[in-house]
Every structure is written in C-alpha cells, then in structure tokens.
C-alpha cells in the first residue's frame, strides 16, 4: 500500500536527520553568458569577497549533482535549461565583534526567455550543510532565478559536530542573509534587468530561516511560503533531549517503533470520528479525548507497559521548567513519526544529546546521564548563532516604506512527528499579540494553514491524507523516491503538483504569487493524496486559520468539491 511505503520513506529520509514593481510584459534579455567571468566585479560591499567556484550550462531535461555535498548529495533530474552557479562568500564586516563569515550558495538561472523577473530563495533542512540543489530544482520551472545557501558548513542533517562560533552564526542567519543580498546583485547583472519580486520557500529549518530573515531584514522577500518551521531552536533541542532522557532513565519506559505504531492505531480508532467524520484522518488532534489505558496490559504483543504509556503522555505533553512553559509536545496522530528521534538507541544516546554536547556545553564527553533541565536554561542564555526566530513583532514587514507590505503563507502538518504543529500556531498567535492585532486583520497579510494527516513537510502517515500542494520540497522528493530504497519510481515533473502544474488552486507557491502581485488572498488550497499508481486518491481543501475544512454532508468524501472552508 502506497501509504505504508510513505511511512518507510519518512523514517529512512529523516533518520539521517528587490524592490517590487508591477510585472511588465517585456521579458528581459540575457546580458551575460554562463561563465564564471560573467559574475566578476559585480559585488562591491564592505568586507565582502565573492568568488565564483563554478558555472555550468544544463540542457533542457538535464541533471545536476554537486560532488562532495554531504547534506544534499542527490542528483536532480528533469531540469529546464539553465546556468548552475556556485559562489563562495567571505564577509569580514562583523569582525572582530563576531567571527568571520564564510559560506557558499548556489544559483539556478533559467534562460532569459524563461526568466519571470523574479528571484526565489530556498531554505535548507535539519542541520545539514551543503547547498539544497534538490529543492532549488523546483524554482526554475516556474521561471524563478533560484538560490540557496550551504549555511556555512558541509554536513549530513543529523550531524551537529561542525559547530564553531563562526559556523553557528552563519547557520543562525548570516549565510542566508548574505546569500540573498549577494544573490540579488548577481542575478540582476546576469539578466541585465532588475528583479521585480523576491520570494522565499522553506520547510523545517528552511521555515526557521525564512522567519528569521523576515525579522532581520523586512526587504528581503515580498512573499514567503513557510512550512513546519523549526523556529524555536533553543527550546526544541532540549525538549528532544528531555524526552530521550526520560525514556532512557525509566525502567520499561522505552518505546519501540512497533509500539509507536500500536499507539498510532489506537489514536486513530479513538480520535478519528471525534472531528465529525470517520475518514482515517484526524483533523482536530487537540480536540481528541484520548484514553491510553485501553492499550495498557501485560501482553506486550498487543499492549504497552504503564511506563511506556507515561512516555507517550510526555511526548504529547508540553515542557515546563520551574513552572515556566518551554516547548509544545507533539499532537495526536504524530506517533508513526516518533521513531525518527526516539526509536533507535544510537539516536537516543547520540543525536538527541548532540545539541548539548556540541552547541551548549562544548563537551564531547557529555552523555545522556548528564542531562538536567539546566540545558534549556543555558540554551536560552546562549541561543547559539541567534538561530531562534522569536522576534514576533514583524510590523516592519507588514508595512514597508515605499513598497507593498510583505505576505506570509505558513503551514504545518498536524501529523508532524519532528516539529510540533502547536509551535506554528503559537508563533502565529504571538505575532498577532506582538502587533496588538487580531486574526481578521492579520489574515490580510499573514495566513496560517493546518494540514490534517500530513507529516513533516511532505507525505502522510499510513492512512494517506492529502499532503501535496506545491509546498517546498514536495515535488523534488517525488523525483527522489528511487533513491530511498522503498521500490517506488520517480513521479511528477520536478515542480508544482502532478496534473495541476502552476495551478493556484492546487499549488501554494502559485497562489502566493497571486496574493503578492495581484492582491488575490489565498482563501483555500486543494491538497492531493495519491494511489499506488500515483493517480489521485483523494483531495481536500486546506483552509486559513481559524477556518477548517467542513464536509458538505453529501458526495464523495475524497473529493475536495464536497468540502468548504468554514
């Protein structure tokens, strides 16, 4: 069954843990050729040195791969004709207050005929270093000149040992911001025309980066598509450590992946119909009144221990230290994905404490037995690299002098077992409070969409809820399915949504552009789930908070036409 394959894919994948002006009719003419020399002498910023490492032409339908890229080693296919450029930047302007900044970024530059006079910045993933070429591959199909940074280091997503002072600052915000500034200059020179709109897409760490940049420089992006943002680094990582510590220190308290799946099955049994419709999708996890005692018994082939039940409650629960709230636990329906952090001993004793080991205490001998709640207090004090994006007053982005205010379309899967969806709702509400606003006013420029049944950034749990809506990384992961060892072929065209290319009814990035450029609000987006042959299994509208999808009471429940936002 396709949905079962998707669970396996996610566990495999995540365990590695411009000034805006109206769009004119005339397309720009390409001023320069795809050569490193084409970008020489373009950037003249204090303390900034720019070196073009590589510039190579890619033919229509071609492929691209950067050798030695530990974070994103995959080969990208079905690219449009473009120029692929790798740039290294060194910036001494912060020195000696901060360490010297050094990072790389990539550019995919479509032909002059295809360029839409816009630039798209793409975020990274987890703690990976390396340019995110796979997700960048989506942008040129729309016509974007597309850029992404390596965050100042080269590592796999589960590796935190690279942390030095300079790299932490670059990961926190400097590499992304610098890439946007330099990238805009290089893109404008390449095409010989100004950039008319600047967009951003990113999920997870990429979501964090986008929010952080909006807080840091309101003029970087005209529109941002932000998914499952890991914006609260300083609390997320100690919370993971706390849960791992509780499992390791509690006799009979550690959950296996099989038991996590057992809990997920019982959660669906009890919670599915509580949202008003039994459809194998838990649409309102927070409203579920769940009784875990129904699966506590001595027979561990079909039950869990009382201690394991306590572990589950801790994972769902919020994290407090000395009575002060620190972080939100996961929601009901996230259980199939808990194993990414908590199923394997190597993660429970390794990755789950690497934040403290390398980022907080700088002590490679730090073990899980050393953990106390002091870790979260020290994390707040240090805030490594200032990565946490918690400056909620972004009024400067909403109302930008001399130009239209920016727009944010934010979303989160309600079955996410890597980043709690409650953190996104919390971020949204904190922004409203910081601006002394209300939901109705905020929706004019910032909308939040919850995605029932979707896990972290893409795919669904075993029940195959609609999850594909043109969000960052969704099209590229469909092309990379053969590399994940689960027997699935590459699917789609490498961008947008299969069968609905660039259709703003189904594609969030297309919808965002209409909102930014034509003042057409995003009132709903239709998400799609697929059968094993990748024909459409079901569709459903995603609705801007506080609205949710409501079944009309008649017709096929798997057809979005029979649902409304209310």
């Amino acid at each position: 069954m396709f949905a079962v394959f998707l669970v396996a894919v996610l566990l495999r994948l995540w365990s590695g843990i411009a000034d805006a002006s109206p769009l004119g009719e005339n397309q720009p003419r390409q001023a320069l050729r795809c050569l490193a020399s084409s970008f020489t002498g373009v950037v003249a910023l204090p303390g900034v040195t720019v070196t073009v490492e590589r510039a190579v032409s890619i033919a229509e339908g071609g492929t691209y791969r950067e050798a030695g890229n530990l974070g994103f080693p995959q080969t990208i296919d079905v690219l449009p004709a473009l120029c692929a450029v790798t740039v290294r930047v060194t910036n001494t302007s912060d020195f000696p207050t901060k360490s010297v900044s050094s990072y790389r970024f990539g550019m995919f530059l479509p032909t002059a005929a295809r360029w839409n006079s816009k630039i798209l910045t793409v975020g990274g993933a987890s703690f990976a270093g390396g340019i995110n070429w796979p997700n960048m591959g989506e942008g040129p199909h729309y016509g974007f000149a597309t850029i992404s940074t390596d965050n100042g280091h080269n590592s796999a997503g589960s590796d935190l040992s690279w942390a030095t002072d300079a790299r932490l600052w670059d990961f926190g915000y400097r590499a992304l911001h610098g890439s946007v500034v330099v990238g805009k200059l290089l893109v404008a020179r390449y095409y010989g025309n100004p950039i008319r709109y600047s967009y951003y897409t990113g999920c997870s760490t990429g979501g964090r980066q986008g929010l952080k940049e909006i807080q840091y420089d309101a003029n970087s992006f005209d529109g941002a598509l932000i998914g499952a943002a890991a914006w609260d680094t300083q609390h997320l990582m100690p919370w993971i450590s706390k849960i791992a510590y509780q499992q390791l220190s509690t006799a009979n308290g550690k959950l296996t992946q099989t038991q996590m799946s057992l809990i997920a099955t019982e959660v669906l049994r009890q919670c599915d119909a509580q949202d008003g419709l039994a459809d194998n999708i838990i649409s309102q996890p927070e409203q579920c009144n769940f009784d875990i005692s129904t699966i506590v018994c001595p027979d561990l082939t079909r039950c869990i221990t009382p201690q394991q039940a306590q572990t589950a409650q801790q994972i769902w629960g919020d994290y407090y230290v000395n009575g002060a709230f620190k972080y939100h636990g996961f929601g009901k329906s996230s259980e199939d994905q808990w194993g990414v952090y908590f199923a394997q001993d190597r993660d429970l004793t390794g990755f789950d404490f690497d934040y403290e080991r390398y980022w907080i205490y700088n002590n490679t001998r730090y073990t899980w037995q050393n953990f106390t709640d002091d870790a979260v207090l020290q994390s707040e004090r240090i805030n490594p690299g200032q990565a946490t994006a918690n400056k909620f007053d972004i009024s400067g982005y909403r109302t930008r002098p001399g130009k239209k205010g920016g727009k944010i379309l934010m979303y989160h899967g309600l079955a996410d077992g890597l980043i709690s969806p409650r953190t996104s709702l919390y971020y949204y509400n904190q922004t409203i409070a910081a601006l002394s606003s209300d939901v109705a006013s905020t929706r004019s420029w910032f909308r939040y969409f919850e995605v029932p049944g979707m896990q972290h950034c893409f795919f669904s749990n075993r029940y195959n809820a609609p999850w594909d809506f043109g969000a960052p990384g969704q099209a590229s992961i469909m092309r990379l399915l053969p590399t994940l060892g689960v027997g699935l072929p590459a699917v789609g065209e490498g961008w947008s949504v299969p069968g609905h290319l660039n259709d703003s009814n189904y594609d969030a990035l297309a919808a965002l552009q209409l909102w930014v450029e034509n003042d057409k609000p995003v009132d709903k987006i239709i998400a799609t789930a697929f059968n094993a042959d990748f024909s459409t299994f079901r569709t459903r509208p995603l609705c801007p908070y506080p609205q949710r999808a409501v079944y009309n009471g008649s017709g096929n429940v798997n057809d979005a036409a029979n649902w409304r936002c209310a």
Side-chain angles (χ1 to χ4, degrees):
M1 185 177 182
F2 179 58
V4 176
F5 277 125
L6 294 187
V7 174
V9 167
L10 284 161
L11 290 173
R12 191 181 192 94
L13 183 65
W14 291 107
S15 64
I17 307 223
D19 287 345
S21 59
L23 184 62
E25 295 180 358
N26 297 324
Q27 291 297 315
R29 295 180 179 177
Q30 187 169 352
L32 300 170
R33 294 181 295 169
C34 185
L35 300 169
S37 59
S38 298
F39 304 95
T40 301
V42 176
V43 179
L45 298 171
V48 176
T49 301
V50 175
T51 304
V52 177
E53 295 183 343
R54 188 182 190 215
V56 58
S57 295
I58 306 299
E60 186 75 23
T63 64
Y64 188 79
R65 177 180 181 271
E66 182 187 26
N69 185 331
L70 299 179
F72 304 94
Q74 303 92 341
T75 297
I76 316 135
D77 65 358
V78 297
L79 288 169
L82 53 79
C83 179
V85 185
T86 306
V87 181
R88 177 172 292 279
V89 179
T90 302
N91 188 344
T92 62
S93 62
D94 279 345
F95 188 78
T97 305
K98 298 185 182 77
S99 303
V100 173
S101 177
S102 179
Y103 55 89
R104 300 161 69 245
F105 69 91
M107 299 190 293
F108 275 160
L109 306 175
T111 62
R114 190 187 293 266
W115 188 47
N116 60 12
S117 298
K118 308 173 194 178
I119 188 170
L120 175 68
T121 302
V122 172
S126 57
F127 295 98
I131 296 166
N132 189 358
W133 301 104
N135 287 15
M136 283 175 61
E138 300 170 5
H141 288 282
Y142 293 89
F144 288 108
T146 308
I147 70 173
S148 189
T149 179
D150 70 353
N151 290 319
H153 67 282
N154 186 23
S155 78
S158 58
D159 182 4
L160 284 76
S161 66
W162 49 262
T164 64
D165 184 65
R167 289 171 178 169
L168 286 171
W169 285 110
D170 287 342
F171 174 81
Y173 69 93
R174 294 193 309 188
L176 192 283
H177 177 69
S179 297
V180 172
V181 172
V182 175
K184 286 181 177 181
L185 295 172
L186 298 181
V187 168
R189 168 62 68 89
Y190 183 74
Y191 291 106
N193 282 286
I195 297 165
R196 296 183 175 180
Y197 292 98
S198 174
Y199 289 90
Y200 180 87
T201 63
C203 190
S204 191
T205 286
R208 176 196 67 79
Q209 291 175 289
L211 293 176
K212 183 72 177 181
E213 181 64 14
I214 287 169
Q215 296 167 11
Y216 186 78
D217 187 345
N219 293 312
S220 288
F221 312 125
D222 300 302
L225 180 56
I226 304 291
W231 64 268
D232 196 5
T233 311
Q234 65 182 357
H235 295 123
L236 164 64
M237 300 310 295
W239 174 80
I240 291 172
S241 304
K242 178 74 171 182
I243 298 299
Y245 175 82
Q246 289 169 333
Q247 289 207 67
L248 292 167
S249 61
T250 303
N252 301 315
K254 190 167 68 171
L255 290 165
T256 66
Q257 184 64 55
T258 298
Q259 290 166 324
M260 293 172 185
S261 296
L262 186 153
I263 296 170
T265 300
E266 183 63 11
V267 166
L268 181 76
R269 189 186 71 82
Q270 293 190 34
C271 299
D272 183 10
Q274 289 191 33
D275 59 24
L277 183 68
D279 58 354
N280 283 341
I281 301 174
I282 300 173
S283 297
Q284 295 179 278
E286 299 307 311
Q287 302 303 313
C288 177
N289 183 19
F290 180 69
D291 179 10
I292 200 170
S293 68
T294 57
I295 53 171
V296 175
C297 76
D299 182 0
L300 297 186
T301 63
R302 61 183 182 86
C303 289
I304 60 176
T305 69
Q307 295 85 355
Q308 289 169 334
Q310 181 182 2
T311 295
Q313 298 285 20
Q314 290 165 339
I315 295 173
W316 288 316
D318 291 339
Y319 183 21
Y320 288 81
V321 175
N322 299 326
F325 169 77
K326 298 301 177 184
Y327 196 75
H328 290 288
F330 292 145
K332 304 295 190 304
S333 74
S334 65
E335 302 79 24
D336 275 331
Q337 212 172 23
W338 288 358
V340 173
Y341 292 145
F342 305 126
Q344 302 295 325
D345 287 344
R346 67 173 182 271
D347 295 322
L348 285 168
T349 60
F351 172 83
D352 292 358
F353 294 94
D354 278 348
Y355 180 78
E356 289 81 9
R357 192 173 288 127
Y358 297 112
W359 290 36
I360 300 299
Y361 299 113
N362 193 24
N363 177 7
T364 57
R365 292 180 293 179
Y366 186 96
T367 70
W368 71 268
Q369 291 95 336
N370 299 125
F371 180 83
T372 69
D373 287 335
D374 177 69
V376 72
L377 304 178
Q378 294 304 316
S379 181
E380 291 174 336
R381 180 182 65 83
I382 298 169
N383 189 11
Q386 301 298 301
T388 296
N390 60 354
K391 294 182 179 179
F392 302 109
D393 184 351
I394 50 175
S395 52
Y397 183 72
R398 178 187 61 180
T399 55
R400 301 181 298 177
K403 61 169 63 176
K404 291 171 63 175
K407 300 291 194 295
I408 302 174
L409 196 163
M410 187 167 75
Y411 64 91
H412 208 134
L414 294 184
D416 193 332
L418 271 69
I419 305 293
S420 172
R422 298 209 294 272
T423 64
S424 284
L425 181 57
Y426 179 84
Y427 184 95
Y428 190 64
N429 286 330
Q430 288 297 107
T431 299
I432 293 171
L435 273 61
S436 300
S437 187
D438 53 43
V439 173
S441 298
T442 302
R443 279 165 49 115
S444 68
W445 63 279
F446 185 179
R447 296 193 172 195
Y448 170 55
F449 292 74
E450 294 181 330
V451 189
M454 186 176 81
Q455 295 189 317
H456 190 59
C457 296
F458 39 70
F459 296 153
S460 177
N461 56 24
R462 72 183 91 161
Y463 304 109
N464 205 8
W467 61 270
D468 189 4
F469 50 100
Q474 293 186 341
S476 59
I477 197 63
M478 298 274 274
R479 295 301 308 174
L480 294 174
L481 286 172
T483 71
L484 301 178
V486 291
L488 294 174
V491 178
E493 287 76 23
W495 68 294
S496 195
V497 179
H500 302 285
L501 296 180
N502 209 24
D503 183 339
S504 61
N505 294 305
Y506 292 82
D507 182 322
L509 182 54
L512 176 63
Q513 293 177 73
L514 289 180
W515 192 18
V516 169
E517 298 166 28
N518 298 339
D519 296 316
K520 180 183 178 182
V522 186
D523 292 327
K524 69 176 181 180
I525 309 167
I526 299 173
T528 302
F530 304 97
N531 291 306
D533 62 357
F534 295 97
S535 60
T536 298
F537 169 53
R538 55 180 165 184
T539 57
R540 188 161 299 183
L542 308 177
C543 305
Y545 178 85
Q547 292 180 308
R548 65 184 184 90
V550 177
Y551 178 52
N552 291 334
S554 62
N556 186 351
V557 296
N558 290 331
D559 187 344
N562 299 316
W563 294 73
R564 70 185 188 279
C565 290

